[in-house]
């Protein structure tokens, strides 16, 4: 629309940043009140708020702020991945480990194969390399909105454990599939890509997995005899280190932070730091999803055409039936078989990063179409993903439906803390219980 409403407060230094942040937080909060009445997850509200205040509608945020807030993506993914790590307990993995690997491989690879075949058969002029790269990226699933929905509704149980493990392992399958496909494409395409560009990302990911493992082993020692606030500061600091180093090397912090969290929980069996981080992360997650909405380019939707629609639909079909077939093969529960695939719709982070690399492997015009398809479909997946995840969680009975109807699930839970010691003026020690 080119309203440029941000001009009324732009160019004021720190004041501009604070006002922009206020708009981001308040728009997300206010819209969440509306979506809550519609019984939609908060993530949907945050993304829609981003679209509303972004360049395509009201244009309330200066472009410089939007560009310089990209670090939120890495930080939020680091928080999310660390939280996912707590679901990789040894006892849980013993029960679901093999099943999770089979389900992950089936749902990811079936989506990739179906997308490749559908795009190539219906749009042969785009070329096999185009279809192959789209298929490789179709394997990925983004955990952010799914994790947020799980946290909002306090979902738990076997379905949630399996879902989070599948989502986390999806990126491993995607990286392996993409590296193989990229090698094939770079070997046959006229635009050559140096092999080191394929090997380096894999090497960096392996390195970061090792870093996550080491941090998980070291963290218990760093947190010994520390106060609750100090423990939280240490964890946040280490996640920032991983996210920052990953950003420098163009490596997603997902795998490293997930291993970090998984190692820590298996070494200590202590979930307190995860609960503290969950409460602390709200002011990070809200602007992260609002920013995602702001980066949405509505004009680009005009250019994706039937290719984008086909990719969007076929990937969903592949994810659902890949999960259904593999869950049936592994004798998983009816809930996992029927509903897990619906919660695997979101696609962002890793997929978008790989899309930029894939664009360079294709001729200019086809490469631009390729990137646009991934970017636009990722936005649509992120918009509908939370609603599908909530539906799957409700149908699988991972969410208490009565809580949703009473509209209390996302409110702060009042809980009793440990009694605190207070010294009065007459030197008597009194135990005081207080609620937060």
């Amino acid at each position: 629309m080119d309203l440029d409403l941000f001009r009324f407060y732009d160019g004021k230094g720190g004041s501009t940043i604070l006002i922009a942040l206020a708009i981001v937080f308040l728009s997300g909060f206010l819209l969440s009140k509306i979506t809550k009445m519609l019984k939609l997850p908060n993530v949907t509200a945050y993304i829609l708020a981003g679209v509303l205040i972004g360049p395509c509608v009201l244009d309330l945020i200066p472009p410089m702020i939007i560009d310089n807030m990209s670090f939120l993506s890495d930080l939020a993914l680091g928080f999310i991945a660390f939280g996912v790590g707590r679901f990789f307990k040894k006892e849980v993995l013993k029960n679901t480990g093999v099943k999770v690997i089979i389900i992950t491989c089936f749902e990811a690879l079936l989506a990739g194969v179906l997308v490749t075949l559908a795009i190539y058969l219906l749009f042969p002029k785009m070329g096999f390399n185009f279809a192959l790269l789209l298929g490789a990226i179709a394997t990925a699933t983004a955990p952010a909105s799914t994790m947020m929905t799980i946290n909002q509704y306090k979902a738990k149980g076997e379905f949630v454990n399996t879902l989070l493990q599948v989502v986390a392992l999806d990126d491993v399958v995607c990286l392996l599939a993409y590296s193989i496909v990229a090698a094939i494409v770079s070997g046959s395409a006229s635009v050559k890509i140096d092999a080191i560009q394929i090997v380096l990302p894999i090497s960096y990911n392996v390195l970061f997995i090792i870093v996550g493992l080491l941090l998980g082993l070291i963290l218990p020692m760093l947190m010994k005899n520390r106060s609750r606030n100090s423990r939280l500061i240490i964890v946040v600091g280490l996640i920032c280190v991983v996210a920052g180093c990953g950003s420098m090397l163009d490596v997603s912090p997902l795998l490293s932070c997930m291993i970090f969290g998984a190692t820590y929980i298996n070494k200590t069996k202590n979930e307190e730091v995860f609960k503290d981080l969950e409460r602390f992360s709200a002011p990070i997650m809200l602007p992260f999803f609002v920013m995602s909405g702001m980066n949405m380019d509505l004009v680009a939707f005009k250019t994706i055409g039937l290719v984008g629609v086909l990719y969007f639909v076929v990937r969903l079909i592949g994810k659902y039936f890949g999960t259904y077939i593999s869950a049936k093969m592994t004798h998983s529960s009816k809930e996992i078989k029927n509903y897990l695939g619906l919660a695997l719709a979101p696609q962002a982070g890793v997929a978008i990063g790989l899309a930029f690399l894939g664009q360079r492997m294709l001729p200019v015009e086809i490469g631009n179409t390729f990137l646009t398809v991934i970017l636009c479909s990722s936005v649509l997946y992120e918009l509908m993903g939370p609603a599908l995840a909530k539906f799957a969680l409700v149908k699988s009975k991972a969410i208490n439906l009565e809580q949703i109807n009473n509209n209390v699930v996302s409110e702060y839970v009042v809980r009793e803390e440990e009694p605190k010691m207070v010294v009065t003026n007459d030197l008597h020690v009194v135990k005081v219980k207080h609620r937060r």
Side-chain angles (χ1 to χ4, degrees):
M1 287 188 183
D2 294 326
L3 294 177
D4 294 342
L5 294 181
F6 63 82
R7 69 182 184 275
F8 293 109
Y9 70 95
D10 195 17
K12 308 295 183 184
S15 300
T16 299
I17 297 172
L18 290 174
I19 293 171
L21 284 175
I23 293 171
V24 167
F25 279 109
L26 293 176
S27 63
F29 172 76
L30 291 173
L31 218 61
S32 71
K33 299 293 115 180
I34 297 173
T35 56
K36 190 176 291 183
M37 289 189 290
L38 299 173
K39 297 182 181 177
L40 292 172
N42 288 342
V43 180
T44 304
Y46 301 155
I47 295 174
L48 289 175
V51 174
L52 186 64
I53 66 175
C56 291
V57 186
L58 296 178
D59 208 3
L60 286 171
I61 307 297
M64 186 69 72
I65 301 292
I66 298 175
D67 293 340
N68 289 323
M69 293 290 278
S70 59
F71 73 92
L72 275 175
S73 173
D74 294 306
L75 185 58
L77 288 175
F79 276 48
I80 289 164
F82 183 81
V84 169
R86 85 198 243 200
F87 296 96
F88 281 80
K89 297 174 185 174
K90 280 185 278 190
E91 55 269 25
V92 174
L93 290 175
K94 284 179 182 177
N95 293 330
T96 64
V98 176
K99 288 183 180 181
V100 165
I101 292 172
I102 293 173
I103 291 172
T104 304
C105 289
F106 260 80
E107 56 85 11
L109 296 178
L110 184 60
V113 170
L114 289 182
V115 165
T116 300
L117 292 175
I119 296 295
Y120 182 65
L121 291 175
L122 295 177
F123 299 96
K125 291 183 179 179
M126 303 301 290
F128 185 64
N129 288 344
F130 177 86
L132 206 56
L133 286 168
L134 273 183
I137 291 180
T139 60
T141 299
S145 56
T146 301
M147 185 68 182
M148 238 342 229
T149 305
I150 288 170
N151 286 339
Q152 180 188 349
Y153 295 111
K154 311 298 179 191
K156 54 188 175 181
E158 182 192 0
F159 183 87
V160 172
N161 291 337
T162 304
L163 171 60
L164 289 172
Q165 290 171 41
V166 169
V167 167
L169 291 176
D170 247 357
D171 282 339
V172 179
V173 176
C174 179
L175 285 170
L176 290 173
Y178 191 86
S179 62
I180 295 170
V181 165
I184 295 170
V185 171
S186 62
S188 60
S190 57
V191 180
K192 298 292 182 180
I193 297 293
D194 194 338
I196 198 167
Q197 291 180 290
I198 306 301
V199 174
L200 272 181
I202 298 174
S203 302
Y204 287 150
N205 274 282
V206 172
L207 174 64
F208 269 68
I209 287 173
I210 296 171
V211 169
L213 178 64
L214 292 176
L215 289 176
L217 295 172
I218 294 170
L219 184 60
M221 292 182 279
L222 295 176
M223 296 175 69
K224 192 174 182 181
N225 299 323
R226 305 281 185 185
S227 68
R228 196 173 197 174
N229 286 342
S230 296
R231 293 199 299 268
L232 182 59
I233 290 169
I234 291 169
V235 173
V236 171
L238 291 177
I239 291 174
C240 286
V241 168
V242 175
C245 293
S247 180
M248 283 195 299
L249 299 172
D250 289 325
V251 176
S252 169
L254 279 173
L255 291 176
S256 183
C257 288
M258 184 191 71
I259 296 295
F260 180 14
T263 305
Y264 175 77
I265 191 66
N266 282 295
K267 187 171 177 60
T268 65
K269 309 297 181 185
N270 186 354
E271 295 195 7
E272 279 303 311
V273 71
F274 294 96
K275 294 175 183 176
D276 291 339
L277 194 66
E278 187 179 308
R279 287 190 287 270
F280 175 83
S281 64
I284 304 293
M285 296 304 168
L286 186 150
F288 164 62
F289 285 108
V290 172
M291 288 291 172
S292 298
M294 278 193 278
N295 285 311
M296 178 177 175
D297 185 1
L298 296 177
V299 178
F301 281 96
K302 296 178 182 177
T303 65
I304 63 171
L306 290 176
V307 178
V309 173
L310 189 66
Y311 173 82
F312 182 82
V313 173
V314 173
R315 178 181 171 273
L316 283 179
I317 292 172
K319 288 283 181 182
Y320 182 82
F321 284 103
T323 304
Y324 184 91
I325 294 168
S326 55
K328 200 166 186 177
M329 286 171 51
T330 55
H331 305 292
S332 298
S333 67
K334 183 178 70 175
E335 289 77 17
I336 291 174
K337 182 177 66 176
N338 291 335
Y339 304 114
L340 187 68
L342 296 176
L344 300 176
Q347 184 177 58
V350 172
I352 292 172
L354 294 177
F356 280 100
L357 179 59
Q359 180 192 25
R360 296 165 53 199
M361 298 183 189
L362 299 167
V364 177
E365 189 176 340
I366 293 178
N368 290 336
T369 302
F370 173 81
L371 182 60
T372 303
V373 166
I374 298 299
L375 290 176
C376 292
S377 60
S378 293
V379 172
L380 289 175
Y381 284 134
E382 286 296 291
L383 279 171
M384 66 181 292
L388 284 175
K390 179 191 168 186
F391 176 79
L393 290 167
V394 169
K395 297 299 286 185
S396 65
K397 299 177 183 176
I399 294 177
N400 187 334
L401 192 57
E402 185 179 338
Q403 283 185 305
I404 297 177
N405 292 332
N406 292 335
N407 202 28
V408 298
V409 288
S410 61
E411 298 300 324
Y412 196 84
V413 179
V414 178
R415 65 187 181 87
E416 193 170 328
E417 289 188 332
E418 291 295 320
K420 293 196 174 181
M421 308 298 289
V422 177
V423 181
T424 63
N425 289 333
D426 57 357
L427 300 182
H428 286 222
V429 178
V430 181
K431 283 187 177 180
V432 179
K433 289 184 179 180
H434 80 102
R435 291 180 176 272
R436 182 171 61 183

